[in-house]
């Protein structure tokens, strides 16, 4: 069975601060995919990034960056110079290749960015 | 390209009734998955359809069912509603039913059971 843990329930920062959202996963499979989604108040889950288990290269997309470390089973997400529009709930998720489209989600981290 | 469309956006039902939710995937996507989101249980996988066949099912009672049509549109049905079925139901579509494919989500249907 697989599991995703997001220990931070809620984080509050002031605009322009950097913030890191933690994600730790458990799986017995050697091939899997990790995802991050953003859920604004409207409810729709917005895809941010996908990473496969064989690619530990970190990725940067604008103010967003992701750090994948298989040794610690972590896939952390950093927002640099946060903005009010970043306020949302962020979910980390995992799929094993054997379970096709079944995403296993963490409990989410609510990020509140204030002025 | 239009995104995933879910209808209706909001529903209010009473216990014992049944409800049908609809999901239209992104054009060209053949896999549709459904998820239930509640404050207590978080996001949980309900089932997945590909080529009109249920490929995967989560741990939900038989009151929850679904189907997929030849145009990949999907419906989800919940019979004999219970108060605990109140939730946001999210539909996601992807190109194929394989793990590497990105699932794109709709805005959801918020169901309230009174």
């Amino acid at each position: 069975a697989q599991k995703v843990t997001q220990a931070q329930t809620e984080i509050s920062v002031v605009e322009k601060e950097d913030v890191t959202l933690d994600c730790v996963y458990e799986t017995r499979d050697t091939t899997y995919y990790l995802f991050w989604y953003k859920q604004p108040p409207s409810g729709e889950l917005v895809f941010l990034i996908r990473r496969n288990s064989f690619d530990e290269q970190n990725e940067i997309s604008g103010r967003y960056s992701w750090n994948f470390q298989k040794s610690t089973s972590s896939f952390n997400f950093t927002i640099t110079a946060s903005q009010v529009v970043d306020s949302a709930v962020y979910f980390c998720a995992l799929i094993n290749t054997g379970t096709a489209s079944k995403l296993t989600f963490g409990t989410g981290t609510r990020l509140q960015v204030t002025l | 390209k239009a995104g995933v469309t879910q209808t209706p956006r909001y529903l209010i039902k009473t216990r014992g009734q049944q409800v049908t939710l609809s999901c239209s995937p992104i054009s060209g996507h053949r896999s549709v998955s459904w998820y239930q989101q509640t404050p207590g249980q978080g996001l949980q996988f309900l089932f997945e359809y590909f080529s009109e066949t249920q490929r995967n099912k989560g741990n939900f009672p038989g009151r929850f069912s679904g189907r997929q049509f030849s145009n990949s549109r999907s419906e989800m049905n919940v019979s004999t509603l219970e108060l605990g079925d109140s939730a946001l139901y999210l539909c996601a579509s992807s190109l194929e039913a394989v793990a590497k494919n990105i699932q794109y989500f709709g805005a959801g249907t918020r169901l309230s059971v009174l």
Side-chain angles (χ1 to χ4, degrees):
Chain A
Q2 57 265 28
K3 184 179 178 182
V4 176
T5 301
Q6 295 180 256
Q8 304 152 308
T9 304
E10 190 161 346
I11 301 175
S12 292
V13 298
V14 177
E15 203 176 42
K16 296 181 184 168
E17 284 185 11
D18 298 347
V19 58
T20 296
L21 309 182
D22 297 332
C23 172
V24 174
Y25 63 91
E26 296 175 29
T27 180
R28 293 177 183 168
D29 283 19
T30 56
T31 305
Y32 51 89
Y33 293 84
L34 295 162
F35 300 80
W36 275 94
Y37 284 88
K38 172 183 180 180
Q39 187 174 43
S42 59
E44 180 178 351
L45 282 169
V46 178
F47 165 76
L48 295 177
I49 191 170
R50 173 190 60 190
R51 171 68 72 233
N52 75 55
S53 53
F54 296 105
D55 181 6
E56 287 195 70
Q57 191 172 7
N58 292 332
E59 182 158 340
I60 298 174
S61 176
R63 296 184 297 107
Y64 295 170
S65 63
W66 291 268
N67 181 263
F68 175 35
Q69 292 193 337
K70 284 182 75 171
S71 60
T72 57
S73 297
S74 65
F75 186 40
N76 297 335
F77 173 31
T78 297
I79 302 175
T80 303
S82 59
Q83 300 177 0
V84 172
V85 293
D86 295 327
S87 297
V89 181
Y90 291 84
F91 291 94
C92 181
L94 165 73
I95 279 187
N96 291 321
T97 53
T99 53
S101 300
K102 180 183 176 182
L103 277 164
T104 297
F105 285 91
T107 50
T109 297
R110 180 177 299 278
L111 175 64
Q112 185 72 37
V113 182
T114 56
L115 293 171
Chain B
K1 202 178 214 183
V4 177
T5 303
Q6 290 188 247
T7 56
R9 288 296 312 279
Y10 302 92
L11 266 177
I12 300 176
K13 293 286 187 179
T14 56
R15 277 182 299 174
Q17 286 187 311
Q18 76 166 14
V19 66
T20 299
L21 314 181
S22 180
C23 173
S24 293
I26 292 171
S27 177
H29 285 193
R30 297 166 62 198
S31 174
V32 173
S33 299
W34 289 88
Y35 294 82
Q36 180 197 63
Q37 185 177 24
T38 60
Q41 299 298 317
L43 278 155
Q44 293 186 289
F45 172 81
L46 279 157
F47 30 63
E48 176 223 342
Y49 286 87
F50 179 74
S51 291
E52 301 178 64
T53 302
Q54 186 180 91
R55 296 279 300 268
N56 215 343
K57 191 177 190 310
N59 189 24
F60 279 82
R63 300 185 297 106
F64 291 81
S65 63
R67 59 177 175 168
Q68 187 180 34
F69 302 95
S70 58
N71 61 358
S72 295
R73 190 178 71 86
S74 177
E75 286 183 348
M76 188 191 108
N77 184 275
V78 188
S79 62
T80 319
L81 284 166
E82 300 177 359
L83 295 179
D85 297 332
S86 294
L88 179 66
Y89 290 90
L90 291 162
C91 165
S93 77
S94 60
L95 279 170
E96 305 275 340
V98 294
K100 68 177 182 179
N101 284 158
I102 298 166
Q103 293 186 38
Y104 295 94
F105 285 80
T109 294
R110 188 166 295 280
L111 172 65
S112 297
V113 182
L114 306 177

